[in-house]
Amino acid sequence: MLRRCFAIDRDKPTSYLTDMAIRPIFETPDPVLRQISKPVEVFDDALKALIADMFETMYHAPGIGLAAVQVGEPIRLLVMDLQEPEDPEDEKSPPVKEPRVFINPEIVWHSEMEIPYTEGCLSVPDQYAEVMRPEKIRAKWQDADGKGYEEDMDGLLAVCLQHEMDHLEGVLFIDHLSRLKREMVLKKLAKVRKERGLKAA
Ligand code: K1U
Ligand code: ZN
């Protein structure tokens, strides 16, 4: 079910922000997640409305990233907000909101050096596992108006962008695990789902 809500500033002439919705997130093993997403060619209000819905959906989940295909739209669009604590020394300090949109993203360079990070995914709910990825990347992308950007990234920003870009190729973080680890994660997921089903009954 979609929850409709109003924009914060009702006087703003941004019609696509006035009727944002939390969309259902597709979960593994749904074949929707295995599609190859198509490039975005039209930067219109419908695209901006989808972006607004994706932020609403990501913050509600909650998550730090979301690819359009996860809400059933196989286009090369993803949103992110790492929501890192204001004070890096104090995990409990309020998160800094930094919403970012990446359209038609490409990795133009990556380091040889790979690092591990314990990843999660809203399409593999409540499961976490260590994935190795290049430590540093240089990415280029477009914003919601089609303007181009290029940036060097590392840390969680680089990890999350690579994870979200995998979604555009129909790849999930569990695909990076050994068969044994992947089966363990999927078994745990099935157990959690069964328990939740029993609790809901
Ligand atoms: O489903 C997704 O693609 C979103 C995913 C992004 C991600 C997380 C960790 C490493 C790489 C990519 C998530 O947001 S999972 C949930 C999560 O990590 C989180 C949720 C709330 C607060 C902080 C983190
Ligand atoms: Zn994911």
Side-chain angles (χ1 to χ4, degrees):
M1 190 146 74
L2 301 186
R3 187 173 69 81
R4 295 274 158 196
C5 58
F6 293 104
I8 301 157
D9 182 353
R10 289 175 187 228
D11 299 328
K12 246 181 157 188
T14 45
S15 57
Y16 52 86
L17 277 178
T18 58
D19 204 17
M20 292 180 285
I22 293 167
R23 296 190 176 210
I25 297 174
F26 286 82
E27 294 181 6
T28 190
D30 200 305
V32 162
L33 296 167
R34 297 305 186 174
Q35 297 171 88
I36 309 283
S37 293
K38 297 239 155 56
V40 173
E41 281 162 6
V42 181
F43 295 80
D44 59 3
D45 277 2
L47 180 72
K48 292 179 174 81
L50 172 60
I51 292 168
D53 282 1
M54 285 174 62
F55 275 118
E56 193 75 359
T57 306
M58 183 192 76
Y59 288 128
H60 178 259
I64 57 170
L66 189 70
V69 69
Q70 291 178 277
V71 292
E73 303 285 350
I75 59 169
R76 301 187 86 79
L77 156 66
L78 58 97
V79 298
M80 275 168 48
D81 189 339
L82 302 181
Q83 298 162 76
E84 289 180 308
E86 197 173 62
D87 176 2
E89 309 281 287
D90 177 10
E91 287 258 316
K92 287 192 183 123
S93 63
V96 181
K97 267 208 168 177
E98 201 190 339
R100 300 185 67 158
V101 178
F102 297 85
I103 297 172
N104 300 325
E106 286 174 43
I107 292 174
V108 293
W109 173 86
H110 66 79
S111 61
E112 289 301 314
M113 175 79 174
E114 294 196 337
I115 49 152
Y117 193 91
T118 303
E119 300 189 12
C121 181
L122 301 173
S123 297
V124 191
D126 302 318
Q127 305 306 314
Y128 295 87
E130 204 169 81
V131 175
M132 296 293 294
R133 296 188 190 272
E135 181 189 18
K136 296 174 192 226
I137 58 171
R138 182 173 309 125
K140 66 174 198 179
W141 69 95
Q142 289 167 281
D143 69 10
D145 297 311
K147 188 174 169 214
Y149 298 84
E150 192 162 322
E151 188 180 315
D152 291 326
M153 301 176 183
D154 59 11
L156 183 54
L157 181 61
V159 170
C160 195
L161 186 65
Q162 291 178 82
H163 173 114
E164 300 307 331
M165 285 181 66
D166 267 358
H167 278 299
L168 309 185
E169 304 302 323
V171 172
L172 299 175
F173 81 94
I174 52 173
D175 301 332
H176 291 279
L177 308 178
S178 67
R179 198 168 134 190
L180 184 66
K181 277 195 191 155
R182 184 166 52 251
E183 279 168 6
M184 275 168 57
V185 167
L186 293 175
K187 221 170 164 180
K188 278 202 305 191
L189 177 60
K191 191 167 168 240
V192 169
R193 279 177 174 156
K194 197 173 165 195
E195 283 167 2
R196 287 205 184 135
L198 287 176
K199 271 183 204 147

